[in-house]
Every structure is written in C-alpha cells, then in structure tokens.
Amino acid sequence: ASRPSALTHCGSNVPKTSRLGQTTSRFCKMKLAILCLGVASAFNFGSLPSLPKPSTAKKSGGPTGPTTGAATPDKFKPAFGAPGIIAARAAAREAALEDAKSKLIPTPARFAFAFGRPDILQARQQERLAKWEWSDEFLTKARPDFGNYGAGDFFDDGLTVLERKQIEAGKEAYLTGGAK
C-alpha cells in the first residue's frame, strides 16, 4: 500500500518510481533525444543547390581556365630594391601635392591655425595691442582735466547722481551710508 510520490523528475509530470528509477531515466533519455533532434533540425537548412561546375568545353574566342587579364602597369608593381623608381614616385607625389596646393585659396592669417606659426601669432598680438595705443582721443577721454574747456578739475567723490542732487537740495537726512 505504498503511495506514489508527488515529486517529479526532469521537469515532467511523471512521478518517480521506487524501482531503481528505471521509468524516470528512460523518460529523461527520450526527452534528451528529442531535444537533440530538434536542435539538429534547426541548423539543417536542407540540401543547398550545388553551384554549377565550370564547363571544360572550349568557348568560342576565349581561353580555357582562368582569365589572365591585361599586364599590370609598372606604377602598381612594387619597387623594392629599385631606388630610382622609388625616388621618381616620391617626386611625382610631391609635384601632385604642389599642384593641388597652388589651386587652393590661401587662408587669411586671421583664420589660420596659428600653433607653431610665430609670424601669425605676432600679427595677432600687434592687432590686439593696436586697440590699446594711447591716442589723443584716448587721452582726452581718460584725462578729463586735459582739454575740458575750463570746467576745472574733475574728481570722483563716490556719490551717485541722486545723492548729489539730495545734497544740493539740502536733504541730507535722506542720505544713507557713506554719503552722510
């Protein structure tokens, strides 16, 4: 009067047997075999059509076998051990480069990349310093006592226009801070 176990094996709903596990192992082997067949069939693409074999019959007007094509030009062949050819190729490259550069519009110094170019850097520095040169106009604006048409010496007392008006109007009581 033994009761069947509620435990299952190999993810199946087949209960374990107490008889040396024969039923369960056969079932697991069957599942494994089906799984292997499924994986193998997933990668089996059927029989692919074979490529047609090249015919050995002679075609009219053409050689049998692979085509040889035209002869390779010398400029595509390696020049190892031939310094004359290497020098000629280098000279041709330089000439082509100079020809391409002659067709370009030169970049103005203002927009050129100036790293390592002291001439461009010096020109830019002169342009910046020219803004700060002491011209007569600059001196007139910087020194109001020079050429101010007899207005006297100007000085800065640190007051605002409103504070000056209040002092002139006799309203010193309304002044705050340093204006008192």
Side-chain angles (χ1 to χ4, degrees):
S2 67
R3 222 171 43 166
S5 171
L7 296 175
T8 59
H9 189 63
C10 287
S12 67
N13 291 331
V14 176
K16 280 186 177 179
T17 59
S18 58
R19 267 194 158 172
L20 301 173
Q22 290 176 353
T23 306
T24 304
S25 72
R26 268 192 248 141
F27 186 72
C28 286
K29 286 179 186 177
M30 183 176 66
K31 279 178 75 175
L32 182 62
I34 291 173
L35 180 68
C36 289
L37 288 175
V39 169
S41 67
F43 289 106
N44 183 10
F45 300 110
S47 62
L48 294 175
S50 62
L51 296 174
K53 295 181 180 176
S55 65
T56 56
K58 187 172 186 178
K59 296 179 184 174
S60 61
T64 61
T67 59
T68 57
T72 305
D74 287 338
K75 72 177 189 174
F76 295 123
K77 290 182 180 178
F80 301 119
I85 295 174
I86 294 173
R89 289 179 183 177
R93 279 194 306 271
E94 288 296 323
L97 183 65
E98 290 300 322
D99 182 47
K101 283 184 180 180
S102 69
K103 294 177 184 176
L104 294 175
I105 299 171
T107 304
R110 172 180 216 110
F111 304 111
F113 183 68
F115 184 73
R117 298 279 309 270
D119 54 334
I120 295 177
L121 291 173
Q122 188 175 15
R124 289 181 185 176
Q125 182 184 25
Q126 294 300 325
E127 186 180 336
R128 280 194 310 272
L129 292 177
K131 297 176 185 175
W132 300 102
E133 287 185 10
W134 291 58
S135 64
D136 290 338
E137 180 187 359
F138 175 77
L139 289 175
T140 303
K141 291 177 181 176
R143 294 182 56 199
D145 59 331
F146 179 75
N148 61 4
Y149 306 106
D153 290 336
F154 290 114
F155 58 92
D156 186 14
D157 54 3
L159 299 175
T160 63
V161 175
L162 177 63
E163 289 170 341
R164 283 196 193 97
K165 286 182 183 177
Q166 287 177 341
I167 290 172
E168 289 173 5
K171 299 180 180 179
E172 284 88 2
Y174 297 109
L175 295 174
T176 60
K180 282 190 171 183

